[in-house]
Amino acid sequence: MRGESVVVVGAGQAGCQVAVSLREQGHRGPITLIGDEQAAPYQRPPLTKAYLAGETDLAGLVLRQDSYYEDHGIKLVRGERVIGVDRQARVAVLGCARTISYDHLVFATGARPRPLPIPGAEHVLNLRTVADADAIRQRLDGQIGLDVVVIGGGFIGLEFAAVVRKLRHEVTVVEAQPQVMQRAVSAETAQHLVNRHRSEGVQILTGTGVAAVREGLVELADGTVLVADLVVAGIGVIPNTEVAQRAGLTVDNGIVVDAHLGTVDPRVYAVGDCARFASTHAGGLIRLESVQNATDQGTTVAAAIMGSAEPYTALPWFWSDQYDVKLQTAGLTNGHDRTVTVGDPAEGRFSVFCFKNDRLIGIEAYNRPIDFLMGRRILEGGNSLTPEIVAQPGFDLRASQQKAA
């Protein structure tokens, strides 16, 4: 297997990690990494933060320098889209009609912004790619006091709102759900984020959707009309699965893979945002959109191609930077039925321990990085923390683990 050819469809974080891990694990065969953007593989999270704020440029986002791909014999194909895969002939078909043969193929096609099904959606910008960020920066550069409306109160929407507010623009966030980041964090953590944004002058409206967008205006479902010089949406993504589906692979809100991230075709895999896998942490099939998931799955698939397949069991974790807040979460806290808060929320330093059926399933650390790091260790190693233990006066996670050791 060390000499077989590998084609990776998609040159984002997951796809790049597959190629890098293959070489690190001793693969000597041809590796082709195909991306539909002209830019070399780059980090997406800084697009809503440092890149948008002008604190870094594209060169500061790239995952590897061009020389890396040349030195390691990885053929990087830029600005090309794979439009088909013939599994019987083992070839990938590019939009230019060129074909590339493979012994193993990895789908790392990522996802695209979910479209807004409303009148005037053409006036709304997304923030997924460098090109998207450049278009937004062009609208903001040299301006102060623009009225900016953000549709969606998830990670992207809130991070974008924080940066735009620091650039001295007026910001309103509209979230259709009763709570921002409803599928990602607890109500306690969400409310503290809302309070932090409001303390900076950001208006956050929850429980109402957007009915229409017109030139300079956003009409909400409750009849409210907002002035808007710029409208940006962050309402989630749709996995790019069309090519995989046409190739006869199983697709269900993602390309369905097994414990080793393989599809029904033993020579085809899927990783990252486009892959739907069985997670012991979620208790069923799940699709995750995070750097951790992308890189860990890329490494796992490389090992499988090299003949050292291991089940993918990595603990999910996430982070978000908003103003002076570093929110770090370990585990999947959605679906919890009890929380215990440790620390001092009034000082903006606390952690929310999330339990389900009295079992710890995740920790949300709000400016408490030690709790995040130790929480990951506990959740990865099997934990015995109960709500009663955590709720004890003066509970300290580090001290409790030192005692346990």
Side-chain angles (χ1 to χ4, degrees), residues 374 377-378 382-385 389 395-405:
M374 299 202 68
R377 199 175 305 164
I378 292 168
N383 68 85
S384 58
L385 287 179
I389 291 175
F395 172 81
D396 180 87
L397 184 56
R398 180 171 8 190
S400 73
Q401 293 310 295
Q402 288 173 343
K403 287 180 182 179

Side-chain angles (χ1 to χ4, degrees), residues 148-152 156-158 160-161 171-175 230-234:
V148 179
V149 174
V150 183
I151 305 174
I156 289 178
L158 293 183
F160 173 72
V171 184
T172 300
V173 176
V174 181
E175 170 55 55
L230 174 66
V231 185
V232 174

